[in-house]
C-alpha cells in the first residue's frame, strides 16, 4: 500500500482482475477469492473446487458483478467444456450455468473463445455473453485428404470453416431469470454486437461462396438480444475491414455501399444515405487495387451520435444524423493537404472482442486534433475547435508523428524527422513555438548526408505521379552518379523518413547506405491499370527514370533496380521488358502469375485467387477469362527477353510467396544462359529475421550493385556476391 508502505504477497495466483471500484479478484486455478484493498486486503473465497480450474475472470463496468469460467473435468479426448460462474458482489451469491443442465445448450459446449475476453457483460451487468460450439471432435489424422470441388470453400478453409456446427457462436445468459438466447446460430453463425449490446448483426459468410474476394459478402440480419427476433437489413454487404461499423451508443449501423456511406436507424428501422449530397467522391482513387471500390474511410461517430464522420481524399466531413446535412470542417482540397483525425489521441473505447464493433470516442466539445499531410510530404497537426476554427499546432516540411497529449493540459509531444534530420522529441503548447526536448543521433550533424527531393512526372496515360530522389552526400553539381531504383507501389509519402544506415535490414536494402556511398536513389510512385500490373510498373518506373535522366545527373548505363515481394515481382517483370537497367535485385518475388494464382498457401490458408482478383495482384478476372493477360504481365513467360544480371533471394519458410517461384525463374534464366544468382535462406520466411543473415544479404546486395553499377571488379568473387 502506498499510503502506509505495507506490502502484501499472495501466493499461487494464476490470474487476477481488478474492478473499477478497486476490488481484486484472484484465481489459484482451484479457487477464486475477492480481496478488498480498503480493508488491508481482507479475503473472501467465492468459488472452490479441487478438480477443475477457474479462469477468465471478468468484472462488469460497475464492479458489482464478476464472471469467470470453470473448466469441466472430462475424460481424455473429450471436447473441452466450461461452466460459467456469475457472482453478485453485493449479495455474495453465485449463479452457475452448466450447458449439460440446460435444454437449449444440452448439445453444445461453452468455450473460452474470442478476443479480449471469453466473457462479456451487458451494459447493466445483468447478462453475460459467452461462446459455445458443437462438442464434436476433429477426426484423427487420416492417411489421405479429399479435395472436393463441390465444397463451398477450398479444402483447407472448408475443413476449418465449412461446417457451421464447428464455428464458435455467441449466446447470452441472464442469471436472474435463467434465460439463454443463442445469438449466433447454424443459419447465421457470425455475430457483431452493437455498443449497447442490445442488438447484434448476424450473418453467414458461406452464403455467397465460392467467391474470390478475401472478405466474403454476406446478408446481414439484425437480432434483438431481449426478444430474439430478427430481420434482414442488408443484402450482399461487404464484410471487408472499414466497410461496416456501429455508433458509440448502439443506435446506428453504418456501412459503405455504391460509393456512399449509409446508416441504419435501429429504432426506426430506416436506412438513409449519409453522403449523397456531398459534391466529392468518398471512393478511394489512390489505392487502386482490384476488387470492390473501398472508401477513403470513416473514423466513426461523435460520442453523442449527432454526427457521422467521413473522409474524402483531402477533407473531413461531419454529417448531421437527424438533419442529414453535411459540413466540411477542413479545406485540404484547396492546398492539396489531407486531414485525418489523429487516432493516437483517440484510442479504442474498449478493446473489442471478435464479435464487437471497434469504436473510438470523439467528444466535439473539446475539439479534435487532426493529422495533416501535404502532397509535397509536409506534415503536422491542427486543432479543430467546435466553433469551426482550425488552429495550427505544428506543420512544415518535415515528418511529424506519434503525437501524445498531456492529461490535464493543452500540451503535446510528438516526433519530428526528415530525410536528413534524425528523429527528435518535440513539445508544443497552443500557439507557442515548438520546443526541442530530445535529439537522437546528435553525432549525425558532423557528417555529410544525402538530400531528398520530390520529383513529379506523368506516366504514359497522363496520370500525375511523384517520387523521391535521394542525392548523394556531398553532391557535386554537374557530376553524374550511378543510381538504384527501389520499386513498390506508392513511396512518395516516405519523403521525410530518416533512414539510419545499417547492415541489419529485413530486406538487405536501405537508401542511406547508398546515398552515403555516391549513389542516387530513386523511389517512384506507381499507378496501376487493372489487368496490367506489370506493364503499369514498367510504364511508371521508366517515366520516373527519364525525369532523372533529363536532370543530367545520372550515369545512364549504370542504373540498377531492386524490389521485394510485390516489388520483387515488379522488378523481375521490368527487366524482361527493357534493357534500361544494368543490374537488378529481387527478394521474395512472384514470378509465375498463373501458377501463383492456383497455388495453395498454408499461411492463409487458401489459394491466391483472391490476391489477384480483389487485391494487390490487380487482375480482376481469372486466368481462364484472360490467359494471355496473366502471361503478358508475368516475369516467367518473358524470361527469354531478360538481359539484366539478376540477384534473387527467398526464404525457404516463406508462406506468403513460396520460394519455388524464385527457383522457377532461376531455372528459366539458367536454361536460357542468362546471368542470375539465387540465394535461398534455409530458415527464413518472407523477410530476413536473423541478424547475421540480414548483414549477409545487405553485403551481397551492395556488392552486386557495386560490381555492375560502379564496375568494382573486386566486389564479386567467382561471380558470387
Amino acid at each position: 500500500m502506498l499510503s502506509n508502505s505495507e506490502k502484501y504477497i499472495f501466493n499461487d495466483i494464476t490470474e487476477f482482475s481488478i474492478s473499477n471500484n478497486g476490488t481484486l479478484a484472484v484465481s489459484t486455478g482451484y479457487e477464486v477469492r475477492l480481496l478488498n484493498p480498503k480493508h488491508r486486503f481482507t479475503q473472501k473465497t467465492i468459488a472452490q473446487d479441487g478438480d477443475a480450474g477457474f479462469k477468465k475472470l471478468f468484472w462488469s463496468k460497475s464492479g458489482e458483478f464478476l464472471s469467470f469460467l470453470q473448466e469441466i473435468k472430462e475424460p481424455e479426448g473429450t471436447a473441452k467444456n466450461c461452466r460459467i460462474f456469475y457472482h453478485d458482489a453485493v449479495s455474495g451469491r453465485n449463479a452457475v450455468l452448466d450447458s449439460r443442465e440446460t435444454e437449449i445448450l444440452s448439445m453444445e459446449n461453452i468455450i473460452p473463445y474470442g478476443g479480449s475476453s471469453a466473457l462479456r457483460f451487458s451494459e447493466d451487468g445483468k447478462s453475460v455473453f459467452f461462446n459455445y460450439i458443437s462438442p464434436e471432435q476433429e477426426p484423427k489424422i487420416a492417411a489421405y485428404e479429399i479435395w472436393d470441388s463441390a465444397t463451398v470453400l477450398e479444402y483447407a478453409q472448408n475443413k476449418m470453416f465449412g461446417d457451421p456446427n464447428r464455428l464458435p457462436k455467441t449466446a447470452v445468459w441472464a442469471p436472474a431469470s435463467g434465460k439463454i438466447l443463442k445469438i449466433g446460430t447454424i443459419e447465421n453463425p457470425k455475430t457483431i454486437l452493437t455498443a449497447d449490446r442490445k442488438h447484434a448483426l448476424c450473418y453467414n459468410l458461406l452464403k455467397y461462396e465460392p467467391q474470390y474476394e478475401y472478405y466474403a459478402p454476406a446478408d446481414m440480419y439484425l437480432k434483438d438480444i431481449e426478444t430474439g427476433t430478427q430481420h434482414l437489413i442488408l443484402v450482399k454487404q461487404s464484410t471487408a475491414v472499414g466497410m461496416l461499423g456501429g455508433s458509440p451508443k448502439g443506435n446506428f449501423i453504418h456501412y459503405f455501399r455504391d460509393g456512399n456511406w449509409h446508416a441504419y436507424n435501429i429504432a426506426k428501422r430506416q436506412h438513409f444515405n449519409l453522403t449523397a449530397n456531398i459534391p466529392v467522391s468518398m471512393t478511394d482513387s489512390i489505392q487502386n487495387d482490384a476488387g470492390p471500390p473501398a472508401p477513403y474511410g470513416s473514423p466513426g461517430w461523435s460520442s453523442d451520435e449527432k454526427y457521422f464522420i467521413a473522409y474524402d481524399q483531402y477533407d473531413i466531413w461531419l454529417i448531421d444524423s437527424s438533419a442529414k446535412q453535411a459540413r466540411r470542417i477542413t479545406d485540404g482540397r484547396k492546398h492539396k493537404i489531407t486531414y485525418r483525425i489523429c487516432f493516437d489521441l483517440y484510442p479504442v473505447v474498449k478493446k473489442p472482442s471478435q464479435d464487437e464493433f471497434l469504436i473510438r470516442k470523439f467528444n466535439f466539445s473539446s475539439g479534435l486534433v487532426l493529422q495533416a499531410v501535404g502532397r509535397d510530404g509536409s506534415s503536422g497537426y491542427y486543432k479543430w475547435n467546435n466553433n469551426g476554427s482550425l488552429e495550427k499546432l505544428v506543420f512544415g516540411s518535415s515528418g511529424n508523428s506519434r503525437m501524445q497529449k498531456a492529461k490535464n493540459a493543452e500540451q503535446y509531444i510528438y516526433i519530428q524527422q526528415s530525410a536528413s534530420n534524425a528523429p527528435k522529441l518535440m513539445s508544443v503548447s497552443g500557439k507557442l513555438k515548438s520546443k526541442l526536448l530530445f535529439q537522437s543521433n546528435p553525432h549525425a550533424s558532423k557528417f555529410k548526408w544525402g538530400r531528398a527531393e520530390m520529383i513529379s512526372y506523368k506516366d504514359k496515360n497522363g496520370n500525375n505521379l511523384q517520387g523521391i530522389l535521394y542525392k548523394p552526400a556531398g553532391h557535386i553539381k554537374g557530376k553524374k552518379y550511378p543510381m538504384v531504383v527501389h520499386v513498390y507501389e506508392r513511396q512518395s509519402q516516405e519523403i521525410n523518413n530518416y533512414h539510419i544506415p545499417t547492415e541489419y535490414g529485413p530486406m538487405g536494402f536501405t537508401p542511406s547506405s547508398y546515398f552515403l556511398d555516391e549513389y542516387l536513389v530513386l523511389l517512384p510512385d506507381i499507378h496501376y491499370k487493372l489487368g496490367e500490373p506489370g506493364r503499369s510498373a514498367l510504364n511508371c518506373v521508366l517515366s520516373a527514370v527519364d525525369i532523372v535522366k533529363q536532370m543530367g545527373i545520372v550515369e545512364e548505363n549504370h542504373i540498377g533496380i531492386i524490389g521485394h515481394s510485390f516489388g520483387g515481382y515488379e522488378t523481375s517483370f521490368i527487366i524482361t521488358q527493357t534493357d534500361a537497367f544494368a543490374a537488378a535485385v529481387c527478394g521474395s518475388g512472384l514470378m509465375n502469375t498463373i501458377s501463383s494464382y492456383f497455388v495453395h498457401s498454408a499461411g492463409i490458408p487458401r489459394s491466391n485467387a483472391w490476391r489477384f482478383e480483389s487485391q494487390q495482384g490487380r487482375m480482376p478476372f481469372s486466368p481462364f477469362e484472360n490467359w494471355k493477360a496473366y502471361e503478358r504481365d508475368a516475369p516467367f513467360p518473358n524470361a527469354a527477353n531478360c538481359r539484366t544480371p539478376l540477384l534473387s533471394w527467398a526464404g525457404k519458410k516463406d508462406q506468403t510467396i513460396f520460394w519455388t517461384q524464385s527457383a522457377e525463374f532461376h531455372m528459366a534464366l539458367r536454361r536460357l544462359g542468362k546471368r542470375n544468382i539465387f540465394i535461398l535462406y534455409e530458415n527464413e520466411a518472407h523477410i530476413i529475421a536473423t541478424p547475421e543473415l540480414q548483414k549477409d544479404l545487405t553485403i551481397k546486395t551492395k556488392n552486386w550493385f557495386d560490381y555492375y553499377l560502379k564496375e568494382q571488379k573486386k566486389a564479386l568473387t567467382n561471380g558470387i556476391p
Side-chain angles (χ1 to χ4, degrees):
M1 295 283 287
L2 294 177
S3 59
N4 55 20
S5 299
E6 292 182 1
K7 179 165 46 173
Y8 298 86
I9 298 175
F10 307 98
N11 296 319
D12 302 321
I13 303 302
T14 59
E15 188 178 322
F16 70 91
S17 180
I18 304 174
S19 73
N20 287 339
N21 59 26
T23 303
L24 184 66
V26 300
S27 172
T28 63
Y30 298 100
E31 66 176 2
V32 177
R33 301 196 296 265
L34 299 185
L35 311 179
N36 190 337
K38 296 178 182 178
H39 297 91
R40 295 178 177 272
F41 288 94
T42 54
Q43 302 185 37
K44 176 185 177 182
T45 299
I46 63 171
Q48 193 173 36
D49 193 311
D51 290 329
F54 296 101
K55 58 186 177 182
K56 304 296 182 182
L57 307 171
F58 195 73
W59 286 99
S60 66
K61 186 187 298 184
S62 65
E64 295 180 55
F65 308 106
L66 173 73
S67 68
F68 50 93
L69 296 176
Q70 180 191 25
E71 189 169 321
I72 298 172
K73 207 77 170 179
E74 297 281 11
E76 189 174 344
T78 304
K80 287 185 178 180
N81 194 10
C82 296
R83 297 185 185 93
I84 301 176
F85 278 68
Y86 176 90
H87 179 75
D88 185 328
V90 176
S91 69
R93 291 193 294 268
N94 286 337
V96 181
L97 175 62
D98 189 322
S99 63
R100 301 170 300 179
E101 298 172 1
T102 69
E103 183 178 350
I104 190 172
L105 293 174
S106 60
M107 303 299 292
E108 316 289 356
N109 284 7
I110 295 171
I111 58 168
Y113 171 85
S116 59
S117 175
L119 302 169
R120 288 87 68 207
F121 283 101
S122 59
E123 284 294 289
D124 61 9
K126 295 182 179 180
S127 297
V128 177
F129 295 87
F130 61 95
N131 295 103
Y132 72 93
I133 195 171
S134 168
E136 296 175 13
Q137 290 292 286
E138 288 289 338
K140 294 181 179 179
I141 298 175
Y144 54 85
E145 298 173 347
I146 299 176
W147 293 42
D148 187 348
S149 65
T151 58
V152 292
L153 297 174
E154 297 166 359
Y155 172 78
Q157 289 246 303
N158 198 66
K159 185 177 179 182
M160 296 168 64
F161 309 116
D163 182 1
N165 286 292
R166 296 296 304 147
L167 295 177
K169 305 170 192 69
T170 301
V172 61
W173 169 48
S177 65
K179 180 181 177 182
I180 300 168
L181 173 68
K182 288 182 174 180
I183 304 172
T185 62
I186 296 295
E187 295 75 24
N188 292 300
K190 296 289 291 184
T191 58
I192 307 176
L193 297 170
T194 55
D196 60 2
R197 294 180 178 170
K198 292 182 178 179
H199 295 85
L201 277 182
C202 305
Y203 55 99
N204 189 341
L205 289 172
L206 299 178
K207 174 68 180 291
Y208 294 103
E209 295 288 358
Q211 55 82 47
Y212 300 98
E213 298 174 23
Y214 186 76
Y215 298 97
D219 293 346
M220 301 284 176
Y221 293 82
L222 189 69
K223 179 173 284 191
D224 187 307
I225 301 303
E226 178 65 28
T227 66
T229 58
Q230 67 177 27
H231 58 280
L232 179 66
I233 66 168
L234 287 168
V235 175
K236 208 170 185 180
Q237 170 61 32
S238 171
T239 61
V241 174
M243 300 287 276
L244 188 72
S247 61
K249 293 184 178 181
N251 293 312
F252 298 96
I253 304 292
H254 62 268
Y255 55 96
F256 190 76
R257 194 180 183 101
D258 301 326
N260 278 293
W261 284 106
H262 303 257
Y264 179 77
N265 186 313
I266 293 175
K268 296 181 179 180
R269 293 194 176 188
Q270 291 179 350
H271 295 266
F272 53 95
N273 193 319
L274 290 160
T275 56
N277 297 322
I278 294 179
V280 293
S281 176
M282 297 287 110
T283 302
D284 191 344
S285 62
I286 305 300
Q287 190 66 33
N288 57 325
D289 287 350
Y296 284 108
S298 166
W301 299 73
S302 59
S303 299
D304 58 7
E305 295 190 346
K306 183 177 180 181
Y307 294 101
F308 177 74
I309 310 166
Y311 297 148
D312 70 22
Q313 183 177 353
Y314 296 105
D315 291 305
I316 301 173
W317 295 80
L318 304 184
I319 298 101
D320 190 311
S321 59
S322 56
K324 314 298 187 296
Q325 294 177 339
R327 63 179 171 129
R328 178 171 45 82
I329 65 170
T330 55
D331 194 17
R333 188 169 295 274
K334 180 179 179 181
H335 304 288
K336 298 296 184 286
I337 296 174
T338 297
Y339 290 92
R340 299 292 184 255
I341 293 177
C342 176
F343 277 176
D344 290 334
L345 302 184
Y346 304 95
V348 176
V349 174
K350 54 187 175 184
K351 188 177 180 181
S353 63
Q354 294 185 13
D355 58 4
E356 294 183 282
F357 286 119
L358 186 151
I359 294 173
R360 298 177 187 271
K361 184 178 181 180
F362 302 113
N363 187 345
F364 288 2
S365 63
S366 55
L368 292 170
V369 176
L370 311 179
Q371 193 160 14
V373 178
R375 181 172 168 78
D376 61 356
S378 54
S379 67
Y381 296 91
Y382 284 79
K383 177 71 179 292
W384 174 79
N385 301 303
N386 60 2
N387 63 6
S389 63
L390 203 60
E391 171 190 349
K392 183 173 77 171
L393 297 175
V394 57
F395 188 83
S397 55
S398 56
N400 299 287
S401 62
R402 298 170 64 183
M403 177 169 272
Q404 295 293 314
K405 181 184 178 299
K407 185 175 182 180
N408 298 313
E410 283 293 315
Q411 188 161 351
Y412 304 86
I413 58 173
Y414 60 97
I415 302 295
Q416 185 176 89
Q417 63 179 309
S418 71
S420 54
N421 294 294
K424 51 189 175 183
L425 181 64
M426 305 290 291
S427 71
V428 64
S429 179
K431 297 181 180 179
L432 298 178
K433 188 176 180 181
S434 293
K435 179 182 177 182
L436 174 66
L437 299 178
F438 175 78
Q439 173 69 64
S440 69
N441 292 6
H443 58 277
S445 60
K446 301 176 183 179
F447 299 91
K448 291 181 179 179
W449 199 257
R451 188 172 77 251
E453 296 180 1
M454 190 77 84
I455 65 167
S456 298
Y457 58 99
K458 291 179 183 288
D459 65 13
K460 293 179 181 179
N461 298 316
N463 294 300
N464 292 311
L465 299 171
Q466 293 180 295
I468 307 170
L469 177 64
Y470 295 96
K471 291 185 176 178
H475 173 254
I476 300 172
K477 188 175 182 180
K479 182 178 178 179
K480 293 187 177 183
Y481 297 87
M483 181 169 73
V484 174
V485 182
H486 180 272
V487 295
Y488 190 90
E489 300 193 346
R490 291 181 66 248
Q491 302 179 93
S492 61
Q493 70 277 8
E494 300 175 10
I495 189 166
N496 284 312
N497 287 5
Y498 183 82
H499 297 283
I500 299 173
T502 178
E503 292 181 323
Y504 298 96
M507 293 168 283
F509 175 83
T510 184
S512 54
S513 297
Y514 287 78
F515 64 62
L516 289 174
D517 191 28
E518 295 196 315
Y519 277 95
L520 295 161
V521 181
L522 175 64
L523 278 62
D525 284 350
I526 298 170
H527 182 274
Y528 298 92
K529 181 178 179 181
L530 297 185
E532 301 180 7
R535 283 175 292 165
S536 295
L538 173 70
N539 174 359
C540 297
V541 170
L542 291 183
S543 296
V545 169
D546 284 344
I547 290 296
V548 181
K549 287 180 178 179
Q550 292 171 25
M551 296 178 184
I553 60 174
V554 62
E555 296 175 356
E556 297 190 11
N557 60 335
H558 288 148
I559 300 174
I561 186 169
I562 184 172
H564 170 261
S565 191
F566 195 69
Y569 153 75
E570 293 171 318
T571 295
S572 299
F573 177 76
I574 287 171
I575 62 174
T576 67
Q577 304 297 306
T578 178
D579 296 333
F581 300 98
V585 177
C586 163
S588 305
L590 185 156
M591 304 299 179
N592 188 335
T593 55
I594 292 175
S595 66
S596 182
Y597 178 99
F598 294 105
V599 76
H600 183 273
S601 171
I604 306 290
R606 61 193 297 184
S607 73
N608 276 331
W610 66 273
R611 197 183 298 277
F612 285 90
E613 293 196 43
S614 68
Q615 205 232 17
Q616 191 178 42
R618 298 179 173 90
M619 287 292 203
F621 40 75
S622 77
F624 298 111
E625 295 171 279
N626 195 337
W627 193 275
K628 289 184 178 179
Y630 274 80
E631 287 188 329
R632 188 172 52 226
D633 277 49
F636 184 80
N638 294 288
N641 301 325
C642 180
R643 285 181 286 273
T644 303
L646 173 66
L647 170 66
S648 55
W649 62 269
K652 206 166 188 177
K653 294 187 176 180
D654 189 347
Q655 293 187 341
T656 303
I657 298 176
F658 290 168
W659 66 271
T660 51
Q661 287 278 309
S662 296
E664 282 182 31
F665 198 54
H666 167 74
M667 290 301 181
L669 295 176
R670 176 184 176 86
R671 181 64 182 84
L672 292 162
K674 310 288 184 177
R675 188 74 187 101
N676 171 235
I677 289 179
F678 172 46
I679 306 168
L680 183 59
Y681 290 98
E682 184 70 25
N683 293 308
E684 302 300 307
H686 195 54
I687 58 174
I688 306 301
T690 307
E692 56 265 32
L693 296 181
Q694 291 178 339
K695 182 175 181 178
D696 175 79
L697 177 59
T698 299
I699 292 172
K700 283 178 166 57
T701 299
K702 185 66 163 51
N703 286 349
W704 189 260
F705 283 133
D706 283 348
Y707 180 86
Y708 287 105
L709 306 187
K710 286 189 172 182
E711 299 186 10
Q712 293 181 1
K713 300 306 179 184
K714 293 182 180 180
L716 304 186
T717 304
N718 296 324
I720 306 299

